[in-house]
């Protein structure tokens, strides 16, 4: 049976396996982050929080875990928020998240520092509707029900898209659902639309009779971050390891852009995604990322998310996002507004 003919229930397995960085789940696997083994050698250990098919898989596929002069102990989390909770607790030194989880973590006064950034295309940040839906533009969402993961990058993308269309969250009914539950709800027609991110976008387009109503292009900042524990940054040896680690991630991302098929194959094997869906997500979003500086423009862009969520009472207060940034690893990286890569027309 080909993947696109799977029933909604059968589709839940790969969705459950995918643990996306932008998500808003409230807990890690096993309640705290599951160990995924250790790489490297030496007396220093860097504790890295990851998500299924995330940094570990990326670095391994690109060969960047070979000859590590320090150890990396991996812990796997369901999404960005619990990963940031672990960083705040000192259980993890660094981890990758999307543009919105740090906003919520910092609002809670968590001990975190954004240390590195990447800029991707936002075509995979979408609001999806069924192919047969009469909805043709975001303004027509007024009065409709929409599935979205609370606190995720999709949550902000939805709010920003509604605002651009002259609407507010009060004009729609928000159903806060994680992707696996949202998929089932969307497939059964229980909601009119679904705000989500890649690779879920690519999978829904391939398997759930979905089409794109609108994307995040020109609406969201397309940024994602490496977030570290201040205590790790204050440790001279760990700080050096963090610099090396972010350099390896940058080289690995360069490798992905040049080898999309190889990465899609590795990513599919790691997550349970069909390889076609993985390749679509790589070319639409994941392979387009470029490493960028966490500069004033990046901070200003994140500050707009802070202020928007504060105005909507989704976080308790506004605050200075810049206080949760450490720019020591910016080096000669290009500005945060540097255009992402592209695989050409249609992606």
């Amino acid at each position: 049976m080909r993947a696109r003919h799977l029933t909604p229930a059968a589709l839940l397995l790969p969705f459950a396996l995918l643990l996306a960085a932008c998500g808003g789940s409230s807990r890690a696997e096993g309640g705290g982050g599951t160990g995924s083994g250790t790489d490297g050698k030496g007396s220093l250990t860097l504790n890295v929080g990851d998500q299924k098919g995330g940094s570990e898989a990326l670095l391994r596929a690109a060969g960047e875990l070979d000859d590590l002069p320090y150890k990396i102990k991996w812990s796997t989390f369901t999404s960005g928020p619990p990963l940031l909770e672990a960083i705040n607790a000192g259980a993890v030194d660094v981890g990758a998240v999307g543009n919105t989880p740090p906003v919520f973590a910092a609002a809670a006064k968590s001990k975190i520092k954004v240390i590195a950034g990447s800029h991707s295309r936002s075509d995979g940040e979408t609001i999806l509707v069924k192919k047969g839906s009469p909805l043709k533009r975001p303004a027509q969402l007024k009065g409709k029900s929409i599935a979205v993961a609370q606190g995720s990058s999709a949550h902000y993308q939805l709010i920003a898209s509604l605002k651009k269309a002259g609407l507010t969250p009060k004009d729609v009914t928000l159903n806060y659902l994680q992707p696996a539950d949202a998929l089932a709800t969307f497939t059964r027609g229980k909601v009119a639309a679904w705000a989500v991110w890649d690779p879920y976008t690519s999978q829904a387009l391939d398997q759930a009779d979905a089409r794109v109503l609108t994307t995040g292009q020109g609406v969201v900042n397309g940024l994602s971050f490496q977030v570290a524990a201040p205590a790790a940054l204050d440790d001279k040896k760990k700080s050096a390891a963090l610099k090396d680690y972010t350099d390896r991630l940058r080289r690995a991302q360069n490798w992905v852009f040049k080898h999309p098929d190889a990465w899609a194959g590795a990513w599919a094997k790691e997550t349970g995604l069909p390889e076609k869906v993985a390749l679509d997500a790589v070319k639409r979003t994941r392979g387009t990322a470029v490493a960028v500086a966490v500069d004033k423009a990046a901070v200003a862009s994140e500050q707009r998310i802070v202020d928007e969520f504060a105005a909507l009472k989704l976080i308790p207060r506004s605050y200075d996002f810049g206080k949760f940034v450490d720019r020591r690893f910016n080096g000669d990286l290009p500005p945060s507004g540097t255009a992402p890569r592209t695989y050409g027309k249609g992606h």
Side-chain angles (χ1 to χ4, degrees):
M1 180 181 288
R2 297 184 67 181
R4 61 172 47 87
H5 297 307
L6 291 173
T7 64
L11 288 174
L12 292 180
L13 178 60
F15 268 83
L17 287 173
L18 279 164
L19 307 173
C22 301
S25 176
S26 62
R27 67 178 184 88
E29 292 181 335
T34 57
S36 300
T38 302
D39 285 283
K41 58 186 178 181
S43 59
L44 178 70
T45 298
L46 196 64
N47 295 298
V48 179
D50 196 21
Q51 296 164 58
K52 193 74 171 178
S55 299
E56 180 183 0
L58 175 65
L59 292 168
R60 197 174 305 287
E64 287 292 342
L65 292 179
D66 301 337
D67 302 318
L68 270 176
Y70 52 90
K71 292 177 182 175
I72 293 180
K73 184 179 184 301
W74 301 97
S75 295
T76 305
F77 294 82
T78 56
S79 61
L83 194 161
L84 294 182
E85 289 172 14
I87 290 175
N88 178 57
V92 168
D93 295 318
V94 67
V97 298
N99 65 358
T100 305
V103 168
F104 281 80
K109 301 182 180 180
S110 295
K111 295 187 289 290
I112 61 167
K113 289 287 186 179
V114 174
I115 63 167
S118 63
H119 187 203
S120 306
R121 291 188 59 82
S122 299
D123 302 274
E125 295 267 358
T126 59
I127 299 175
L128 301 175
V129 296
K130 301 291 281 188
K131 286 181 180 177
S133 170
L135 303 179
K136 302 297 182 184
R137 58 186 189 278
Q140 293 174 317
L141 289 169
K142 186 173 183 178
K144 306 298 184 182
S145 59
I146 306 169
V148 64
Q150 187 172 19
S152 67
S153 62
H155 194 178
Y156 178 69
Q157 187 260 126
L158 173 59
I159 288 170
S161 295
L162 290 173
K163 186 175 183 178
K164 186 176 180 180
L167 303 176
T168 74
K170 292 182 179 179
D171 293 315
V172 300
T173 300
L174 298 183
N175 291 349
Y176 290 128
L177 298 170
Q178 289 300 300
D181 294 327
L183 168 68
T185 302
F186 176 78
T187 302
R188 296 184 187 120
K190 300 295 185 182
V191 291
W194 180 17
V196 73
W197 59 91
D198 249 338
Y200 303 117
T201 289
S202 293
Q203 190 163 12
L205 292 174
D206 188 66
Q207 300 173 347
D209 196 35
R211 66 174 168 84
V212 175
L213 181 69
T214 189
T215 75
Q217 280 296 118
V219 177
V220 299
N221 60 23
L223 296 175
S224 57
F225 300 109
Q226 292 294 323
V227 180
L233 290 165
D234 291 340
D235 182 302
K236 187 175 181 180
K237 290 182 179 179
K238 280 200 172 182
S239 180
L242 286 169
K243 172 65 166 63
D244 178 80
Y245 177 72
T246 57
D247 285 345
R248 288 173 188 270
L249 284 170
R250 175 177 48 79
R251 293 194 298 267
Q253 188 62 53
N254 291 340
W255 176 86
V256 164
F257 180 69
K258 296 174 183 176
H259 304 88
D261 294 275
W263 169 235
W267 195 21
K269 184 177 180 180
E270 179 75 12
T271 61
L273 274 176
E275 195 162 331
K276 176 189 180 299
V277 172
L279 184 59
D280 285 347
V282 169
K283 290 190 172 182
R284 183 178 286 110
T285 308
R286 294 299 180 95
T288 69
V290 291
V292 295
V294 187
D295 54 16
K296 288 183 178 179
V299 172
S301 183
E302 289 294 295
Q303 188 67 50
R304 286 191 286 274
I305 300 177
V306 171
D307 294 341
E308 188 72 39
F309 276 117
L312 293 170
K313 309 295 186 187
L314 293 171
I315 57 175
R317 63 190 175 86
S318 187
Y319 60 88
D320 182 0
F321 188 82
K323 292 182 178 179
F324 294 87
V325 171
D326 188 309
R327 303 181 186 182
R328 72 179 71 181
F329 300 140
N330 278 352
D332 58 357
L333 286 172
S336 60
T338 299
R341 297 159 167 139
T342 178
Y343 288 97
K345 190 175 180 180
H347 292 288

